[in-house]
Amino acid sequence: MSADERWTGGEMLAVAGSLQVQDGDVAVVGLGLPQMAALLAQRTHAPSARLLLEIGVFEPMPTEPSAGIADPRMWRGATAFGTTLEVLGVMVHGGRVSLGLLGALQVDPWGSFNTTEVEEADGSRRRFRGSGGGNDISSNAGRIVIVMTHQARKFAETLTFLTSPGRQVGGRSRADLGLPGEGTCAVVTDRAVIAFGPDGAALESVHPGEHPDAVLADTPIPLAVPHGGTKETPAPTARQLAFIRNELDPKGWYTS
Amino acid sequence: MSADERWTGGEMLAVAGSLQVQDGDVAVVGLGLPQMAALLAQRTHAPSARLLLEIGVFEPMPTEPSAGIADPRMWRGATAFGTTLEVLGVMVHGGRVSLGLLGALQVDPWGSFNTTEVEEADGSRRRFRGSGGGNDISSNAGRIVIVMTHQARKFAETLTFLTSPGRQVGGRSRADLGLPGEGTCAVVTDRAVIAFGPDGAALESVHPGEHPDAVLADTPIPLAVPHGGTKETPAPTARQLAFIRNELDPKGWYTS
Amino acid sequence: MSTRPDRVVSLHELAAGIPDGSHVALAGFAITRNAVAFAHELIRAGTVGLSVTQVFGGIETDLLVAGGAVDRLTYASGSLDRFGLLHAVNRALQTGRLELSEYSGLALALRLHAGGLGLPFVTTRSMLGSDLLAPLVAAGQVKQIESPFDGAPCLALPPLRPDFSVIHVDVADRAGNAVVDGPLWSIPETARASKVVLLVSEEIVDVGELDPSRVTIPGSLVHAVTHVPRGGHPTAVYGRYDYDAGHLRSYVAAASAGAEEHDAYLDRFVRGVSTFDEYLALAAA
Amino acid sequence: MSTRPDRVVSLHELAAGIPDGSHVALAGFAITRNAVAFAHELIRAGTVGLSVTQVFGGIETDLLVAGGAVDRLTYASGSLDRFGLLHAVNRALQTGRLELSEYSGLALALRLHAGGLGLPFVTTRSMLGSDLLAPLVAAGQVKQIESPFDGAPCLALPPLRPDFSVIHVDVADRAGNAVVDGPLWSIPETARASKVVLLVSEEIVDVGELDPSRVTIPGSLVHAVTHVPRGGHPTAVYGRYDYDAGHLRSYVAAASAGAEEHDAYLDRFVRGVSTFDEYLALAAA
């Protein structure tokens, strides 16, 4: 879904997600759209951002699309292979990772999120992947960016399962819980960028063609309007779109 | 020094030490005579004994003499190289090592020993190597054999420094201290084999040409006579001596 | 002269050595380097009541759960990457047929690490504040403590020591010294933690042919090794073969359709053959 | 396109980046793989007040102590194997000029391991009942605790995070990804624990020339690398060169004769030259 026919929602999401990556970031990335966003950033404005994969891969520079972090295509160009204890332990828990770029099933008003299971309409629970390294990354990295498609049911006051802590949990700050890092600083969707700060969430920007009110209506958590108002997310450039379409995701696995 | 001119004291020591190695032992060995004893056992009665070196070497089968465990000659034939955390951690602390074969400066009545420093006649302390992995091995391996030359000053009621715990420390058993394994089961010297058990030390055997009373006089810790009396240590065989002289220590670095 | 042990056995012997009710650690990761040949053989052996530990669950665990071999699962996550979820695992968790202990990836790797080194316990900050914590605390698998040095809140986790681990490696010598190429995720920790380490290897060579600097799992830790070329199919083995996307898609189609359809897959591809080579031929057909 | 950092610097720059009073971890082992070229350069730079951590002390630490650069030592042992003891270290300990924190090999490696992983603390059974324990407890570097799971007595040790580590490696690429051949003792833990990782390498290659499966220290951890062939002399570097027995013997003869004789060695071989190549030529003469 996209409000602009020149790009898909997935393409817009990858581009908006990529803008959250700063040059020099050391980033651990999850499967799917987070991969796309990180790789796009590396090819454009953040050439010295370095990627890590919890499977034990240092600084890959893949040149073709992959089916996930366990797909050897995603490891191409890596400078070193190692263990989970080196990536989630030394790099993440050891405080050397500035950014976690992750997917989520559900996000709460403080940026805590769920990758474990969702509740169906009949009250039954449907299980997904679980934490993997997601909890470790959100507990220990400098800042967290969540990349996911925008659906109202993905924003909830109370999560079905709190896999990963955000800026606070149950009224307790990260510092009080014993956690380093800022926690979630942004949720990037195919419609908007929601910024998270110490006071909660704000509608930072909506993507071209979206109206803030429509996004707010589909985002059932408290959302402030930032100082200066909600902006429009920069539109994808031709260069960004070309990278996505020609190199990163030519088959549209993630961005179609 | 040897009481028999057909072999040196060092050769007798290496042979008597080797007899403490059982076929099937997984043994961590220290620098010098312990190396000799372990390699001799491997070449004779304990072909399936496996050696480990705390530097991170698995199952070496060296074919020439070496200057110690940091000498690459000692690593020849190794099947795997790894880390200290793998040898002292996984193998030793993890309970997978049946035998530690180590040198000592000083031994007490319960087989605790010192590899750190000795007191000089003027009361000053003279420092040696320290623990290295010796404390880890004596704290965690199944049983410990100490290999050292026999001098009265090396046996003491109270150690200058207790680097490695034996069967008990300060009246507290290993189990009470929180330590697994038996602790020291033998001190092998160039004159005798002293066995250590739950009740203390006993003069198990004296080497050919030695008289038990002379050894007792030079061993100033309580020494029981074992049930059946003190035996004579088996004399080195021609095969054992040939291995030492032709292969393990042709230059007599350790056994001359 | 000293001797080297010969630890080579058949796949049948390797699987037959695992009693019902054992705690088995697996070390595949999603669609990479799964011990699929072993999982098939264990299903054919009719082994039941297993407790399975796998840090990042993959198809090997999904197969064993679908085959009714597993009563209890300890993991941090599971998926087949873009191909889908672990449907048998998720179904068994949703129906309560499978008992679950769930950790973060690092926390579970640390429990295995502590098991390997015989550490009294390990500590971490991961999982603080998350919903992973309460069930683990209730089960006595985690304690909330404070650092005795600075009073900081943290978690203590006890060592984990599975009875067996089964690991798919690239090359092993006959004494079990094994090389794993590519990323290692929790493979070393899984091997070190386990009381008995079993290897399934793409290649077997004589002792002395491997560069000891390249050995990932020392033979000193290994009890048996078996030779199964392409034994990871349909998952990828780095530098040797790709995952079989078509087979993974048909697997997920069957697994996601329901327990009966998943069982039909097992009837055809696992119980319907007697060796992994037969399965490979069938899968290639 | 994304870029790879270039971390190659001169030995002079590498040593000059270490301020007086820093905590420097070294990773040689007795007569193997010591960062001797670095130790020489640091002595020439006149750096003082260092705290040095080295699990298994070797000639690099003995040189630095002899050169007056070190005020505090944290180690588990030190020797030059059959060639002798660390005479400068032992002399400084005996005179009280050098402050000592002494551990078992595993306990110190575990402190570095915890430092690398950011673990709140680590636990062990090693050192229980030994004389190593009391001074460490008195200094607050070890706590005697009980396991919260089974009540077993054990020790808690805090993470150790040196400011710098300096490691002699075989091959590094320009971004600092480094291969160490042969046994690794505490090299990985030392690198991971340190805030700044500096490498001295026998060879330097371009990024992309190393097999990532062979990389021991990922460039992600490394701040700078310098090229010094034979930089470990007179210690051995596995697969490249043997220790120089004659030089080690003359070193120990000087070092054991007394502080003056040891200083004369430094005047001749360290302060009397301006580059490591000059030292190598002098040592070969």
Side-chain angles (χ1 to χ4, degrees), chain C:
Chain C
M1 192 57 195
S2 60
T3 56
R4 304 289 194 185
D6 190 321
R7 298 191 169 103
V8 178
V9 301
S10 71
L11 177 60
H12 181 78
E13 289 171 287
L14 186 128
I18 296 183
D20 288 346
S22 300
H23 181 183
V24 178
L26 299 173
F29 189 124
I31 56 169
T32 276
R33 200 182 280 286
N34 280 226
V36 178
F38 165 78
H40 281 200
E41 191 69 25
L42 210 56
I43 291 169
R44 280 193 292 271
T47 310
V48 295
L50 299 179
S51 176
V52 166
T53 289
Q54 182 172 25
V55 179
F56 304 100
I59 196 172
E60 56 194 359
T61 294
D62 207 48
L63 282 163
L64 286 173
V65 170
V70 187
D71 285 354
R72 182 180 180 84
L73 176 65
T74 299
Y75 85 159
S77 67
S79 89
L80 300 177
D81 268 0
R82 204 180 71 84
F83 294 96
L85 300 170
L86 301 186
H87 289 285
V89 166
N90 286 1
R91 200 153 40 226
L93 290 174
Q94 283 157 203
T95 60
R97 217 194 59 62
L98 191 61
E99 203 185 333
L100 179 66
S101 292
E102 189 175 10
Y103 292 82
S104 77
L106 178 63
L108 186 50
L110 284 172
R111 283 201 63 191
L112 292 166
H113 167 77
L117 275 79
L119 304 183
F121 61 98
V122 281
T123 65
T124 181
R125 284 182 303 272
S126 285
M127 305 199 298
L128 284 167
S130 79
D131 284 349
L132 293 161
L133 200 50
L136 294 172
V137 169
Q141 294 169 336
V142 167
K143 303 272 182 189
Q144 294 187 264
I145 62 168
E146 290 178 357
S147 161
F149 296 98
D150 62 8
C154 61
L155 300 177
L157 297 101
L160 188 59
R161 296 222 53 198
D163 299 318
F164 298 90
S165 62
V166 184
I167 296 170
H168 192 85
V169 304
D170 288 292
V171 194
D173 70 21
R174 301 188 67 87
N177 298 284
V179 177
V180 179
D181 247 324
L184 298 175
W185 55 97
S186 54
I187 289 171
E189 287 69 35
T190 302
R192 294 168 190 164
S194 303
K195 295 173 193 162
V196 173
V197 179
L198 306 174
L199 305 180
V200 181
S201 189
E202 292 284 338
E203 284 181 57
I204 301 222
V205 300
D206 286 332
V207 174
E209 289 188 30
L210 297 177
D211 173 358
S213 294
R214 284 295 281 113
V215 169
T216 315
I217 304 172
S220 295
L221 290 176
V222 173
H223 292 71
V225 55
T226 192
H227 184 207
V228 187
R230 296 189 70 81
H233 181 277
T235 66
V237 172
Y238 174 73
R240 292 179 180 268
Y241 47 88
D242 198 4
Y243 52 80
D244 182 338
H247 195 89
L248 283 171
R249 273 192 292 268
S250 61
Y251 176 84
V252 172
S256 62
E260 271 182 45
E261 290 81 353
H262 205 164
D263 211 49
Y265 172 93
L266 295 183
D267 277 343
R268 180 167 176 217
F269 286 106
V270 183
R271 299 190 196 104
V273 299
S274 54
T275 67
F276 200 69
D277 276 344
E278 279 182 52
Y279 155 81
L280 288 173
L282 191 63

Side-chain angles (χ1 to χ4, degrees), chain B residues 1-130:
Chain B
M1 186 196 78
S2 170
D4 191 305
E5 63 186 16
R6 288 168 295 171
W7 48 79
T8 67
E11 287 168 346
M12 183 68 229
L13 210 178
V15 169
S18 81
L19 298 178
Q20 298 289 325
V21 180
Q22 297 166 9
D23 204 19
D25 264 331
V26 176
V28 184
V29 297
L31 162 70
L33 280 162
Q35 284 174 236
M36 289 296 107
L39 294 173
L40 181 59
Q42 213 182 41
R43 305 296 178 88
T44 54
H45 66 281
S48 72
R50 287 175 275 146
L51 306 190
L52 305 171
L53 306 176
E54 66 191 60
I55 196 168
V57 175
F58 289 85
E59 310 190 0
M61 288 189 179
T63 52
E64 57 179 312
S66 63
I69 61 172
D71 182 343
R73 288 165 189 77
M74 183 63 196
W75 315 336
R76 296 258 165 83
T79 52
F81 293 138
T83 63
T84 290
L85 278 194
E86 285 181 77
V87 175
L88 294 182
V90 176
M91 298 303 292
V92 172
H93 202 274
R96 295 171 175 92
V97 166
S98 59
L99 173 66
L101 202 57
L102 301 168
L105 298 169
Q106 205 183 25
V107 182
D108 85 359
W110 299 100
S112 294
F113 57 102
N114 172 9
T115 59
T116 302
E117 57 186 8
V118 293
E119 198 168 330
E120 303 281 25
D122 65 0
S124 69
R125 295 201 162 195
R126 190 164 158 233
R127 196 167 172 89
F128 284 81
R129 290 193 166 78

